[in-house]
């Protein structure tokens, strides 16, 4: 019997909510918790609402010199730059 598993998290200045349906509550909950972990990971990298995020560090320090970021964040920022130019 399918049941709904509800999960929520606040990140990036908003609330993310999940209503997940499946036969195995534990498996569905684990999938939702993985999704929440991914959201929180990107929050730590991109959120302007978090003064310690990679984007906040870039915004506050880039005028002074290069700012190191992880590869995924660098690739995303380069893709954003390409799209902006297009």
């Amino acid at each position: 019997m399918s049941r709904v598993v509800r999960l929520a998290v606040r990140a990036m200045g908003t609330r993310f909510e999940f209503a997940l349906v499946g036969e195995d509550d534990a498996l569905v909950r684990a999938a939702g918790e993985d999704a929440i972990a991914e959201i929180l990971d990107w929050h730590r990298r991109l959120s302007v609402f978090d003064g310690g995020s990679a984007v906040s560090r870039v915004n506050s320090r880039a005028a002074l010199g290069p700012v190191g970021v992880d590869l995924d964040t660098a690739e995303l920022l380069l893709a954003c730059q390409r799209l902006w130019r297009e």
Side-chain angles (χ1 to χ4, degrees):
M1 174 181 211
S2 293
R3 293 188 18 183
V4 177
V5 174
R6 297 185 183 281
L7 300 167
V9 65
R10 291 195 81 50
M12 294 184 247
T14 195
R15 179 177 166 88
F16 292 81
E17 295 185 25
F18 298 89
L20 306 168
V21 179
E23 298 293 325
D24 184 335
D25 284 357
L27 185 62
V28 171
R29 180 168 294 280
E33 289 173 356
D34 284 349
I36 286 174
E38 187 75 13
I39 289 167
L40 292 174
D41 181 46
W42 283 102
H43 170 88
R44 284 187 290 277
R45 297 178 201 199
L46 303 179
S47 181
V48 296
F49 300 99
D50 179 349
S53 75
V55 165
S56 290
R57 286 193 319 274
V58 168
N59 286 344
S60 67
R61 300 179 190 166
L64 305 174
V67 180
V69 296
D70 63 275
L71 182 59
D72 287 337
T73 301
E75 288 176 349
L76 177 63
L77 293 174
L78 288 171
C80 291
Q81 183 181 46
R82 280 191 307 272
L83 289 170
W84 176 80
R85 286 184 176 156
E86 289 176 12

